[in-house]
Amino acid sequence: MKYIHTVFFILFFSSAIFAQQAQIEFKEYSYAEFFELIENEKDTLFVLENAFIKVDPDTDNEHLVKWNYNRADSISYDLSKPKTITKAIELKNVHFIEYYGRDGDIRTRNGLFNIVFEKSVHIENTSELKISQCVFNNEFVLTDIDSNHWPDRAGKVFAEIFITDSKFHASVFISIHSYSDNFNLGVEISDNSFYGNTRRSNFSL
């Protein structure tokens, strides 16, 4: 068993304007709809391209994490009851749009939390992704950050990728590089446990 504690913070600043964004039509799904799509998929492989996953407060309460800002032990989900996904997952240009709620001392945040992935997970070209307290029993691949295919946010394009407190039981391949000039990137990979074959794993940032 190998335990690796790694934190990466990368920032790239630039100013180019791009032309391809308007050509892509993005679908929008709530978290509940996203997981329903996976559950209803007849094949053993679930594929989704060009989509936003956005929080719907009316339907996505079970997919949000809530905690008391003044109590580190007040996290809302039960780690003894993870959600299990038995299909292989392939996501291309899918963005998990950040949601951060604040009500007094209570904070709320979205992401892929407390999920067991039994088969491979391939994520290609995402600008927003938060993974925490997940278990990957097959290979995990995160590649190809191409901001030419992202939505433009007030003239700037940026990515926030966080992978924390998760367990990887097979090979891991993470390659995060920009193919465009107009790019801001923040990455944190920390407090994860890697049990798989490290000879077949690679991190490239």
Side-chain angles (χ1 to χ4, degrees):
M1 188 274 282
K2 292 182 179 290
Y3 179 81
I4 301 176
H5 175 91
T6 313
V7 179
F8 300 98
F9 289 103
I10 302 175
L11 295 175
F12 298 97
F13 299 96
S14 53
S15 59
I17 303 283
F18 10 177
Q20 298 184 22
Q21 302 168 48
Q23 301 176 9
I24 297 176
E25 183 176 346
F26 287 89
K27 310 177 190 72
E28 290 190 10
Y29 302 100
S30 67
Y31 272 76
E33 290 171 331
F34 172 66
F35 286 109
E36 185 177 3
L37 287 174
I38 297 175
E39 185 176 344
N40 293 337
E41 173 60 56
K42 303 298 184 182
D43 200 350
T44 58
L45 170 65
F46 172 78
V47 179
L48 182 63
E49 300 185 14
N50 301 328
F52 295 140
I53 312 302
K54 293 184 174 181
V55 169
D56 182 340
D58 294 329
T59 64
D60 291 346
N61 188 59
E62 66 175 292
H63 304 292
L64 298 174
V65 171
K66 296 183 180 181
W67 71 97
N68 188 310
Y69 182 76
N70 297 314
R71 290 181 52 200
D73 62 344
S74 63
I75 198 163
S76 64
Y77 52 69
D78 184 357
L79 293 177
S80 69
K81 299 178 180 179
K83 184 180 187 68
T84 299
I85 294 178
T86 59
K87 298 179 176 71
I89 304 296
E90 187 174 299
L91 306 178
K92 297 181 180 179
N93 206 24
V94 175
H95 310 273
F96 295 82
I97 304 303
E98 182 178 25
Y99 176 88
Y100 184 77
R102 184 173 181 174
D103 183 7
D105 291 335
I106 304 301
R107 304 292 189 267
T108 305
R109 175 154 279 174
N110 64 313
L112 300 178
F113 301 122
N114 199 28
I115 303 173
V116 176
F117 295 91
E118 295 290 1
K119 295 187 177 179
S120 62
V121 175
H122 288 208
I123 302 174
E124 179 181 329
N125 191 32
T126 183
S127 66
E128 292 192 58
L129 178 67
K130 292 180 177 63
I131 295 174
S132 184
Q133 299 289 353
C134 288
V135 176
F136 297 87
N137 289 325
N138 210 305
E139 70 176 4
F140 175 83
V141 177
L142 173 62
T143 61
D144 294 340
I145 303 299
D146 183 0
S147 52
N148 282 304
H149 296 92
W150 295 352
D152 188 6
R153 302 181 185 180
K156 288 188 176 182
V157 172
F158 60 91
E160 293 183 330
I161 297 172
F162 298 91
I163 304 173
T164 64
D165 299 296
S166 295
K167 297 178 180 179
F168 297 84
H169 291 278
S171 61
V172 177
F173 183 84
I174 298 176
S175 180
I176 302 175
H177 300 281
S178 170
Y179 294 106
S180 64
D181 295 325
N182 190 22
F183 192 66
N184 301 332
L185 169 63
V187 179
E188 178 180 340
I189 303 175
S190 64
D191 297 308
N192 299 290
S193 298
F194 298 87
Y195 301 89
N197 186 348
T198 55
R199 293 183 179 180
R200 297 185 58 191
S201 300
N202 186 35
F203 297 83
S204 179
L205 301 174

